[in-house]
Structure formats: C-alpha cells, structure tokens
Amino acid sequence: MIEWNTRAATKPSPLVLTADSSANPAQLERAVKSSPRPFVLVNERELSVLRRGLTKDGWKRALYLQPANMKHGLYVSAGILSVANQWLEREIVIPERGGDAGMFVCECGAPLCPPDDLQISASYTCSVCSRTVSGEVYDGAVRHMQHMRLAGAALTLALTYGIEKERAYADKAAEILVAYARLYSESSNDPLSTLILHNSQAEAEWAIALAQAYDLVYYARSLTEEERASVEQQLLKPIGISLAQLDADGIPAAWHLAAAGVIGLTLKDAQLIHKALALFREWISNHISPAGLWAESANGSHFKAIEALIHFAEGLYRCGIDVYSPEHPTGKSLKCMFVSPLHYMYPSFRLPIIDDGCFDSFLPLDLYEVAYRRWNEMLFAWVLKKGYKYRESPANEDHMEHSVRFMRAGFYAFLFGRDLPGRIATPMFKSRNFSDIGVCCLKSLGGAAVTIDYGSCHTSNHLGKLGFTLYANDEVMVPDYGAPEQGQKLSDWCRSTACHNTVLVDGNSQEPTENCALVGHCGNSFLQAVECAAVDCYPGVTHTRTIILLGDACIVRDQLSSEQDHDYDWLMRCEGKPEIIGKYSQADAVMPDLHSVKTEMALRLDESCRIDWKSGNGVLSFTMWHCDGGGAVSIGECFAETMNRTVPLVRCHQRGKQASFLAVLAPARDEKKIDVSLQGSMLRCCVEEIEDYVYLQDAGDNSNQRLQSDAKLAAVRLINGEPVTITLCHGSWVMWDGNLLIDSPDAVECIEMSFEERGPNIKYRGPVGSIKLKTNARAVRINGVRTAAANSNGWASLRITPPIMLASTASIMVE
C-alpha cells in the first residue's frame, strides 16, 4: 500500500492519505481548491525568487537574456525572453493534424534537417549523408513539430508573463489557447480520438504544456469568461478525460496519467485528479522493477517516464499532496527511479544501451535538478556538480561532442536550480545485478565498467543474449549500439545476433529465449565475476559465459557444447583503430560470410593472437586464446549506430561439437606497458607496474604454477614483485609460490585480503566460523570491523562472527 502525504503550509499537522483514502475526491478537492494560482508548474513564491535572481549577474540571467531562434520545442530555457518577444510579433496559425516526429529521419539512421522556420518543404535533407526525401510522412512530422512549438510558445509566453508581469505576453499565450480550443471543439465528437497529433503520448505531452500555460495566465485578464470556459470545457477537459480512459501500457500510459493529472490540477477537478492518482500508483507498481528501473531497460525511455510523472508530481506537491516520499512495499518509488540509474550508468554518465534505445543516451541532468530540490540529498548534488563539470573538463570525446548535455541550461535548472555545495564526497557505486531486466553491471574502483545482458527477449526482440559491453580508459570501448528509429534499413541489423558482442552459431541469429540465467556473481574491490548460461538461444547448444573484472582488465570466458558440429563465431565491436600485434599466417579456409559485415583479413589462430585498439584516451589490448584447438580470427567492419558510421569488428571462429574462447581486454594509456600470457589455468596480466595473476578452474593444467587454489576463481596482485592483494571466490584456500596464504575449513563465497599501512584489510562473505591468513598482524579489519587475531608462526587465526557478517553488505563490492 502506498501512502500519499498531504501537507499544507497553513496546517500545523499534515494529513496522511493512504492508498484507499487518497481516492476520496472530497479530500483532494479541499487540497486543490485552497491552492492559489499559479501552482501547476510554478507558484508565485517561486516566481518571486526567480525574478530576484534575474536581477543579478549570473548564469540564470545570461540564460534568460541570451538571443534565441525560433527552432524550439515545448520547454524553452535558453533565451526565454527572446523567444517570447519574437512570438509577440507572429501571427498564430494552427496547422493541420501532426504526424509522427520519429519518422523525421533518413533511412541511413541520421536525423533530417528541420526546415528553417519549420515550414512544410518540397524535400528534406539528411544531416549526414545529404540524401533528400519527400512525402506526407515527412510533412506530417514537420506539422508535429509546429504543434509542439506552438504549445511551447504558449508556455514560454505565459512564463515570461509570470516573470515580467507584462500583460502582452499573457494575451499572446491566451490567443494560442483560444485558437486550439476553437479547433478542438470543431474537429470531432469522439472522446477517445487524438485530434492534434498522431498518437496519444504526443498529444499528452502537448496538452501538459498548454495546461501549465493556462494556469500561469489564469488571473491575467487576458481571457474573457466565455474564452475561459471554451479553453476549459472544449479543450483541456475533453483531453484529460480521453487520456484517463485510454487503455495503454508502458511509457504512453505514464504520459496519459500525467496529462490527465496536470489537467485535473489546472481545472481543480478532484475527480480527474483522483483518477490520475490511481493510475499513478498502478503504473509505479506494474512498470518499475524492485530495483527501481523501467521494466525493460534503463535507457532514455526510463527517463521519459520520469519526465511525465514529474509534471504531475510537481503540481501535486504545490497543492499539498506529496507523492515523492511514499514507497511501495517492494521499495518502488519516484526516488528509486532516480537512484538506480546511477548504479547502471557508465562513469561518464553515458547510459548502456541494452535492447532498444538511442545510442547517444546520457543521464538527463535537468531532471536531477528536481531530485536534488525535492530530496535535498548530497547524492543528487554530486550528480549535478560532476555532470556539469564534464562540460568544463571533458573526460572523453563524448563529452566534447555532446557538450550541450552537460550545460546547466535546462528548463528545471532555470526555474529551480540553486547553488551547489562546495565539497561533495564521491559516492561508490557497487557492482549490481539488475535481475528484473536481466542485466548485471560490474564496476571497478579504477573506473572500468562491464555489462552483460542475460534477460529474456522483450517486445524489442533483440537477439543478443549474453552480449557484453566494456567501459575503460574513460570511454566506452566495447559498446552496444541499441536500435534506431522505426522504419530504417538498419533496424533488422541492430536486432540481429551478429550486431551484439556475443557468440553466433552457424551464422544464424538466436531464437527468442526465456531461459537465459545468471548462474552466480561474486567479488570484492579487486576481482568481480559473473557467470551466465543460455540453453535455448540455439536449440541443442549450451552456452556459458563468465566475465571477470580484475582491476580494470576484463576477462571473458566462453564455453559452448553440443552433440553436433557447429560453426561458432565470437564477436566483438570496438571503438578505435585496430593494430595486429605479432605475425600470423593466413587462414586455411574461407570463413563463412556474415550479413552486413565486411571482412578485411582472416588469420589462422594456432594458440593466441593480440590486437590493440587505439583511441583518444589510450589503448585497449585484446588477447584471445582458442582453448579447444586452432581456429581463425578476422577483422572487418560493420555498421555502428547509423549506416553512415562503421566500426571494427573482431571475429574468432571455431568449428566442432565444443568450443572454448578465452579473451582478455586490458586497458592502458600506453600499449608498450601491457603484457598478457596464459600458462595452463593461470592467466597473467601486467599493466604498467601492476602485475595480476588469475587462477581459472578447469582452464588448463595447474601443476607447477605459481598460483594454485581449489577455488573457482583466485587472484593475486603484485606491485614491485610483492603481493598486495589476494582473493578467492567459491573455494577454501589459495597458494602463491608454494606458500599457503588463505586457508578456511569450509568453502566460502569470497575472501579478499589486501595489505595496507595500518594492517591487513579483509572482505569476507561466507559462513560464520574461522579462517587462517598468512600475516603477522595481531589485529585486522574484517568487513570494516576491527578484530583481534590469534597469531602463531606467521599465521593469524580469525573468528568470523554474526556482527562481521552483518557488516559485509556495506563492504562487499557486489550487490
């Protein structure tokens, strides 16, 4: 049951509305009727604060006064006054019904150039390939933009009136509202049809801006009583009722309820508000995973839903109804929708695109202005400060190319942005398994990040299960490119298996699956691992993929088995320029062609090969071993996020009943300081002065190796030849150079021992009991708890108690 808190500044004790009582229109009516206008988007106190701020030099005043053109959408922040003044001189002409703005793209995947002044044109030109297109589908998209611009004009004029208190702005906003009311009343009597735009979500977005504008000019005396009745009864109310009744799902449903709610607030219609509140509760319950993400993925669609819900939540908050604070019993809430993507994103604030979504998706900083305002937590202040700093000090080419996304120039920033704290502690985002969407994210302390997609196929039907991505050297080195807008030639390719960083069998795409599964994940700050399995992507073929993040290096191990022979192709796209290190023979046989892949060279792989990818921030060294015998490796080109850009593709090929691939991706600033080798089951990865050894169970002969263990995984880090960190996962002992370092009577999930100046620091997850460590220390920290050790002959015996296990949640890097 969700509780809705109703508070009012004039009341000593706020009312608490439960999920049942919040459906009482009488209580809602009292809350809304007592709210002075404006309040839906912003109230008079907030306008007064903004007005005072604009009298002083600063970024808000500069934003308000800067020149602007007329190519704007619904919410104008940069050049608000300039846009409003230009609209004062323009004739208001309402276009015909708008089409689908999502179709205003070239078949190559790039956007078309909008015509100057957004007028219908004989043809439209691609922004990248310069191809020209024409037709009703593109004209309809332009009309869509015209309607959105008109709604944005009404809101911009109304907001400028709220700031300047000059009636001319309100009069022009009222003119747009009246024109739409007249058109709406004359168009149709069907209560469930969209009259202005081609779909209900677009009409909801358009209607919210108009409702917010109407609330701002309500007392401006720009509308006669007859015109006011027309706007309310012939425009806003029919839209609100229609959208509240529509049967929809997903993101459109969020916009429907938000529009119905905002219109209900604007009209002070308690019945419509209580209907929207019920839909709000239902949407949060049904569409948000317990982890706090939209049920399909955490890409731009997740934040598109937040954008809708915030419109409604903000209006409710100003009339005393707080939907920010309550949580569903499972933990679902608006707040968790803001927090969870921070654990999902790459360190550069780019969002991993798994399944559908635009490749260039970033954390929307402007929405986090609302989060910081409503919860006043340092986590959200850090997001804003770190994000805006990327414009001044970009970490990669992404930040330079998309610098506008890191400007403090958004709509909510302009309205409500305040000074950020001077010093903010950097939060630690742990590795996390998002089981509801089937994505596991591993993150290192050094800034590397890995994702693996093991979830079932959703309606997006991307056939790339067990695909992975890698962020290293402050940039996405191994990406997934998502999917373009509908109707493009690239759509089928982007959804195929060959377009993902996974294993392709017999050159065919996977079958839609429900049986991919995460077998297990574990680790600490030094080593983190995840293992996933797919048994029905390819009938008769079992595929197990293990990904290990060792420091900043990524290890990918694949094991495939079948009762019949198959062609197995290990695929990976990488940003950067490839360079083959070493000499290799040409492949004996021609590798089977792959659709949309241009092969440039194919080499025989007897044992291993190394390819370095060089980019602006350094190099990613890729080393591959075919552990079940020889094979072939090829380098080619394939499409990236559009048909106008290609990226290198590495393809490692084996044929047989079984196949085993082992790859290491080691990032560094200088390729000369990378050295990777494999001896039996021991993998050595040396980057600069850091030397890591990893034991992989069943990867080869482990006799006479420096690192030995009974664990599934074990690792040792050396600096200047001395062990500084030792870890094991799913085992009981680790031995280095013949010396036993960790010994437990029982198998544990994970132990990590690091040697620090103040003594050994232990991270432990396993049963209550005892362990022995090779150290002379008489006191150590286990999961942050200082613990006495019984020391004898260089061995410390430690007792693992329940309080230590309780502390493991905070200390372990994997959740």
Side-chain angles (χ1 to χ4, degrees):
M1 181 176 66
I2 304 175
E3 292 188 346
W4 310 104
N5 297 326
T6 300
R7 47 158 194 81
T10 57
K11 297 178 181 179
S13 57
L15 296 174
V16 177
L17 299 185
T18 66
D20 296 329
S21 63
S22 65
N24 185 340
Q27 289 179 298
L28 293 174
E29 187 168 7
R30 285 195 296 271
V32 233
K33 292 294 185 184
S34 62
S35 300
R37 295 184 188 272
F39 71 95
V40 178
L41 173 67
V42 63
N43 61 29
E44 192 55 50
R45 182 186 62 81
E46 292 164 332
L47 283 170
S48 178
V49 172
L50 177 61
R51 200 178 296 119
R52 287 198 304 271
L54 294 177
T55 63
K56 306 172 185 177
D57 289 337
W59 63 273
K60 282 195 178 185
R61 177 177 171 83
L63 202 63
Y64 184 63
L65 297 178
Q66 75 178 55
N69 59 38
M70 297 295 283
K71 290 184 180 180
H72 63 80
L74 284 174
Y75 295 93
V76 178
S77 53
I80 293 178
L81 186 60
S82 173
V83 170
N85 286 334
Q86 291 177 71
W87 275 106
L88 290 178
E89 308 300 323
R90 292 178 71 94
E91 180 184 1
I92 302 303
V93 178
I94 306 297
E96 297 178 5
R97 188 171 185 263
D100 185 355
M103 299 302 293
F104 202 67
V105 291
C106 179
E107 64 179 18
C108 74
L112 299 173
C113 297
D116 292 338
D117 209 20
L118 285 187
Q119 296 304 306
I120 301 297
S121 176
S123 63
Y124 307 95
T125 305
C126 176
S127 60
V128 175
C129 72
S130 299
R131 182 175 181 267
T132 59
V133 297
S134 61
E136 170 55 27
V137 66
Y138 305 107
D139 294 343
V142 172
R143 292 196 300 273
H144 174 110
M145 298 176 204
Q146 292 172 344
H147 283 295
M148 291 299 189
R149 185 175 68 166
L150 276 168
L155 181 57
T156 300
L157 288 159
L159 182 57
T160 306
Y161 164 74
I163 296 170
E164 301 290 341
K165 295 302 180 185
E166 293 186 13
R167 184 173 160 179
Y169 298 112
D171 290 346
K172 200 66 177 182
E175 184 182 343
I176 297 173
L177 291 167
V178 170
Y180 270 122
R182 187 180 303 114
L183 174 66
Y184 219 86
S185 64
E186 296 171 353
S187 297
S188 172
N189 293 320
D190 182 359
L192 297 180
S193 66
T194 59
L195 306 179
I196 301 301
L197 295 162
H198 89 293
N199 69 36
S200 55
Q201 178 180 328
E203 191 134 323
E205 296 180 43
W206 165 85
I208 287 174
L210 290 180
Q212 291 167 336
Y214 179 69
D215 177 62
L216 280 162
V217 301
Y218 188 88
Y219 288 129
R221 299 183 180 179
S222 297
L223 294 161
T224 65
E225 289 299 323
E226 182 181 351
E227 289 172 334
R228 183 176 291 156
S230 174
V231 171
E232 292 183 4
Q233 302 302 320
Q234 296 177 356
L235 177 65
L236 296 179
K237 191 166 186 175
I239 295 174
I241 293 174
S242 171
L243 293 173
Q245 294 175 352
L246 283 178
D247 184 15
D249 201 12
I251 306 303
W255 281 96
H256 295 170
L257 75 88
V262 168
I263 290 172
L265 290 168
T266 302
L267 302 180
K268 297 193 173 183
D269 184 330
Q271 293 285 350
L272 196 52
I273 297 170
H274 109 269
K275 173 65 174 175
L277 270 171
L279 293 172
F280 181 96
R281 291 193 303 275
E282 182 181 334
W283 196 94
I284 291 287
S285 178
N286 294 342
H287 292 89
I288 297 301
S289 72
L293 298 179
W294 184 50
E296 291 191 16
S297 188
N299 52 34
S301 297
H302 176 89
F303 290 103
K304 190 67 176 176
I306 291 180
E307 182 185 348
L309 301 178
I310 287 299
H311 285 305
F312 186 30
E314 281 290 286
L316 288 170
Y317 194 88
R318 292 186 189 88
C319 65
I321 304 170
D322 181 8
V323 295
Y324 286 107
S325 299
E327 289 190 0
H328 191 271
T330 60
K332 301 177 182 181
S333 65
L334 274 176
K335 183 177 180 180
C336 73
M337 290 181 71
F338 280 99
V339 173
S340 289
L342 304 181
H343 296 270
Y344 184 83
M345 69 179 183
Y346 296 128
S348 65
F349 285 25
R350 179 184 274 276
L351 296 171
I353 300 303
I354 310 296
D355 293 334
D356 279 347
C358 173
F359 175 60
D360 288 323
S361 293
F362 296 84
L363 206 68
L365 297 179
D366 199 45
L367 287 178
Y368 280 85
E369 295 276 3
V370 178
Y372 179 45
R373 183 170 191 245
R374 289 303 172 215
W375 289 291
N376 197 35
E377 293 187 5
M378 288 299 100
L379 174 63
F380 300 128
W382 174 85
V383 169
L384 296 175
K385 192 160 188 177
K386 179 75 172 178
Y388 293 137
K389 188 177 180 180
Y390 278 140
R391 177 171 171 80
E392 303 169 4
S393 304
N396 54 39
E397 293 182 2
D398 261 356
H399 293 152
M400 292 183 279
E401 182 180 352
H402 303 282
S403 61
V404 66
R405 298 174 186 252
F406 302 98
M407 291 177 61
R408 200 172 193 188
F411 187 71
Y412 288 120
F414 173 74
L415 289 181
F416 311 123
R418 53 191 169 123
D419 292 341
L420 299 173
R423 291 185 179 181
I424 307 175
T426 300
M428 182 178 70
F429 298 112
K430 299 180 180 180
S431 297
R432 177 170 292 188
N433 175 35
F434 295 96
S435 58
D436 296 273
I437 63 172
V439 175
C440 188
C441 302
L442 303 181
K443 297 190 176 182
S444 77
L445 295 178
V450 176
T451 70
I452 182 169
D453 175 19
Y454 66 89
S456 61
C457 290
H458 297 289
T459 54
S460 59
N461 203 30
H462 278 247
L463 304 173
K465 295 304 103 178
L466 304 193
F468 79 101
T469 71
L470 171 65
Y471 178 96
N473 286 343
D474 292 325
E475 58 186 327
V476 184
M477 295 296 296
V478 181
D480 191 313
Y481 293 101
E485 295 287 348
Q486 56 183 334
Q488 297 177 35
K489 288 184 176 179
L490 206 57
S491 296
D492 290 342
W493 159 251
C494 289
R495 290 173 171 81
S496 70
T497 303
C499 187
H500 296 80
N501 305 310
T502 186
V503 177
L504 186 74
V505 179
D506 294 332
N508 300 318
S509 282
Q510 299 171 351
E511 297 289 334
T513 177
E514 295 294 333
N515 291 325
C516 281
L518 182 138
V519 177
H521 67 124
C522 63
N524 286 302
S525 55
F526 171 42
L527 180 148
Q528 299 160 68
V530 58
E531 181 177 319
C532 303
V535 297
D536 61 352
C537 289
Y538 292 103
V541 177
T542 298
H543 179 193
T544 301
R545 167 164 278 185
T546 303
I547 294 185
I548 303 165
L549 193 58
L550 183 70
D552 288 347
C554 175
I555 302 167
V556 183
R557 185 184 182 190
D558 290 279
Q559 295 168 292
L560 299 102
S561 63
S562 175
E563 294 182 355
Q564 299 180 359
D565 287 345
H566 293 282
D567 287 302
Y568 299 102
D569 288 296
W570 191 98
L571 305 174
M572 185 187 76
R573 277 142 222 74
C574 193
E575 295 284 342
K577 184 178 179 181
E579 177 185 352
I580 298 174
I581 306 299
K583 295 182 179 181
Y584 307 91
S585 303
Q586 292 293 319
D588 296 330
V590 177
M591 297 174 67
D593 290 334
L594 293 181
H595 177 66
S596 299
V597 175
K598 179 183 177 182
T599 300
E600 297 181 350
M601 66 178 70
L603 306 173
R604 189 173 69 195
L605 182 58
D606 295 322
E607 293 183 0
S608 66
C609 72
R610 174 174 166 178
I611 303 171
D612 286 355
W613 266 270
K614 296 182 179 180
S615 64
N617 284 359
V619 64
L620 181 70
S621 177
F622 165 79
T623 307
M624 167 64 78
W625 291 268
H626 285 184
C627 300
D628 284 345
V633 60
S634 71
I635 297 178
E637 293 280 332
C638 68
F639 295 125
E641 72 277 15
T642 72
M643 294 176 67
N644 297 308
R645 192 170 82 89
T646 60
V647 290
L649 168 73
V650 63
R651 173 188 177 195
C652 300
H653 179 79
Q654 289 187 47
R655 179 169 177 81
K657 291 183 175 63
Q658 286 83 34
S660 181
F661 302 92
L662 179 62
V664 176
L665 296 98
R669 300 298 178 178
D670 186 346
E671 73 275 13
K672 296 179 181 179
K673 296 183 178 180
I674 302 176
D675 185 25
V676 178
S677 61
L678 177 67
Q679 297 176 351
S681 60
M682 187 182 71
L683 181 69
R684 175 180 175 272
C685 180
C686 182
V687 179
E688 299 180 351
E689 76 279 1
I690 297 175
E691 192 174 6
D692 292 330
Y693 290 82
V694 186
Y695 165 77
L696 303 171
Q697 191 178 65
D698 300 328
D701 183 13
N702 193 41
S703 59
N704 301 318
Q705 301 297 332
R706 299 183 71 186
L707 176 61
Q708 297 187 9
S709 178
D710 70 337
K712 194 165 187 177
L713 288 172
V716 173
R717 167 164 287 183
L718 308 181
I719 295 182
N720 298 324
E722 295 294 325
V724 295
T725 306
I726 304 102
T727 190
L728 68 83
C729 294
H730 300 290
S732 62
W733 59 268
V734 174
M735 185 179 292
W736 173 253
D737 278 346
N739 296 313
L740 195 62
L741 301 181
I742 297 176
D743 188 18
S744 171
D746 302 303
V748 302
E749 181 180 333
C750 183
I751 300 178
E752 178 181 289
M753 178 170 66
S754 56
F755 297 98
E756 302 174 355
E757 290 184 4
R758 298 175 61 186
N761 186 18
I762 313 300
K763 294 179 180 178
Y764 177 90
R765 182 176 284 177
V768 171
S770 62
I771 58 173
K772 289 184 177 181
L773 306 175
K774 188 66 174 177
T775 177
N776 291 315
R778 295 188 177 276
V780 299
R781 289 190 175 274
I782 307 179
N783 298 340
V785 178
R786 187 172 177 83
T787 306
N791 200 292
S792 176
N793 299 322
W795 280 96
S797 297
L798 302 168
R799 188 75 182 168
I800 306 298
T801 62
I804 289 175
M805 293 309 302
L806 288 174
S808 68
T809 302
S811 65
I812 301 297
M813 280 288 292
V814 176
E815 294 183 353

